[in-house]
Amino acid sequence: MAFNAIGGSAIRDLLKVTEQPGVLSLAGGLPATEFIPTSAIAAATQLVMTDDAALQYTASRGAATCLRAVAAFIGGSPDEVLITHGSQQALSMLAHAFVDPGDVVIVDDPVYVGARQAFQAARARIVALPITATGTNTAHLAELLESGLRPRIVHTVSNFHNPSGVTADPDTRQALADLAQQYGFWIIDDDPYGCLRFSADDGRRRIAPDPIPGDRAIRLGSASKILAPALRVGWLQGPTGVIDVVERLKQSADLCGSTFSQLVVAQLLSDTQWLDEHIRTLCVEYGARAAELVKSLHRHLGDGVELTVPSGGMFCWARLPGIDSSALLDAALIEGVAFVPGAAFAVDADFSDHLRLSFATLPPDLLGDAIRRLAIALDRTH
Ligand code: PMP
């Protein structure tokens, strides 16, 4: 196929620039390096290395210990789980499993860029629905379906959407499940951020909406944002028929994932006491960073900025009415701050005055600095 049919990722290109010394980056969706649990990973590694199987090939679906640990973590049976090389590989394999060239795939607008790339690689016809404050626009979706559109897949990020930050409410989840049942499409519920929920109702339990119900939903998860991206362990949970198809694709792609990484992840996910505490720390720290970012935006940009206060995940989706955020990025890089312009996530809609700001990577004091630099860049572009 024509390689240029796959759009590049503006974000991955931008990451090259932001690696330069002195640049404060709000651009990438990178977890804070200081919250990657290095000591726990080192201890798990030592333990895993006492297992002869750790450096061998494993089953294409994933090492049994990891399948069990992931199933216990997400609540489900190991038979419904397949381990992938990060959840990005699940997106790529599902696109190849279900999409023939020209088939329709529906995404939210703005879209998670990695999903769009995966569907473009399978030569899908991408149709976008402007996202709402309660998730995928199911009313608009129902109209499209009634008028005859027959998607193979509807993709969404149901918790703390990347980039818009929106979480799907229970009605949206149910409506999606009902439409999928009626019209026979697959829902890909891409959920790497669901654990990063800042609010706690009683100081202990974080109330999350139930996942998208029904047997047309395929749920993706990842160790990247809660443990470490470099482990490259993600997972897919879905009906066994889907697992079987993806398993065959995985055989052809890479035979199997890294046994070693999977056993390390299994070890960490199984230590539930440690894991609960670790995730609680992430939520507290990221919640504080999100609050600092919002405070700094209000302080330095005043009424010029519109935003929704993030309640989880890693991103703040902000709008500077009347400002071309791509042009602002050029000025911002000169001031030593980076973000991703909204246009990078746009399918049909115009997000040229939007910015995706990641609050996860920088500590609170540098977040304040970054927004101060952004305000200077904004002044310069006026
Ligand atoms: N889905 C979403 C919505 C993401 O934001 C990301 C990472 N940015 C991924 C999938 C892929 O992450 P990984 O492959 O590291 O699990």
Side-chain angles (χ1 to χ4, degrees), residues 239-263:
T240 47
V242 172
I243 301 286
D244 291 346
V245 174
V246 175
E247 180 176 3
R248 286 200 295 278
L249 280 170
K250 182 139 174 82
Q251 284 168 4
S252 77
D254 60 5
L255 300 181
C256 64
S258 158
T259 318
F260 175 68
S261 273
Q262 292 183 17
L263 294 186

Side-chain angles (χ1 to χ4, degrees), residues 94 114 128 140 150-151 160 171 181 215 276 314 316 347 353 358:
L94 288 169
H140 193 178
R150 290 291 174 269
F160 317 119
D171 288 349
Q181 197 61 48
D215 56 9
D276 286 354
M314 294 188 168
C316 178
V347 187
D353 58 0
S358 167

Side-chain angles (χ1 to χ4, degrees), residues 206-330:
R206 288 162 216 282
I207 301 294
D210 287 337
I212 296 173
D215 56 9
R216 304 298 300 181
I218 303 165
R219 301 180 192 98
L220 311 187
S222 178
S224 292
K225 314 295 177 178
I226 49 171
L227 296 175
L231 292 166
R232 303 312 295 136
V233 172
W235 49 83
L236 175 163
Q237 182 189 31
T240 47
V242 172
I243 301 286
D244 291 346
V245 174
V246 175
E247 180 176 3
R248 286 200 295 278
L249 280 170
K250 182 139 174 82
Q251 284 168 4
S252 77
D254 60 5
L255 300 181
C256 64
S258 158
T259 318
F260 175 68
S261 273
Q262 292 183 17
L263 294 186
V264 169
V265 168
Q267 179 61 33
L268 294 168
L269 293 185
S270 308
D271 187 347
T272 51
Q273 206 182 343
W274 171 82
L275 185 68
D276 286 354
E277 193 49 48
H278 171 64
I279 292 178
R280 194 170 302 125
T281 304
L282 292 181
C283 292
V284 169
E285 298 289 347
Y286 286 152
R289 289 176 183 206
E292 181 61 39
L293 180 83
V294 168
K295 197 175 78 188
S296 302
L297 282 167
H298 287 312
R299 181 187 303 145
H300 295 296
L301 304 179
D303 292 340
V305 65
E306 292 173 7
L307 55 87
T308 318
V309 178
S311 53
M314 294 188 168
F315 306 112
C316 178
W317 184 233
R319 179 168 178 246
L320 296 172
I323 301 295
D324 176 348
S325 60
S326 299
L328 176 62
L329 177 63
D330 293 337

Side-chain angles (χ1 to χ4, degrees), residues 86-88 91 112 157 162 190 192-193 222 224-225 232:
S87 49
Q88 188 63 36
L91 288 170
Y112 164 53
V157 181
N162 176 6
D190 187 0
Y193 303 106
S222 178
S224 292
K225 314 295 177 178
R232 303 312 295 136

Side-chain angles (χ1 to χ4, degrees), residues 144-165:
L144 292 178
L145 293 165
E146 275 159 30
S147 70
L149 195 74
R150 290 291 174 269
R152 295 287 285 153
I153 292 173
V154 173
H155 171 270
T156 193
V157 181
S158 61
N159 292 305
F160 317 119
H161 186 273
N162 176 6
S164 72

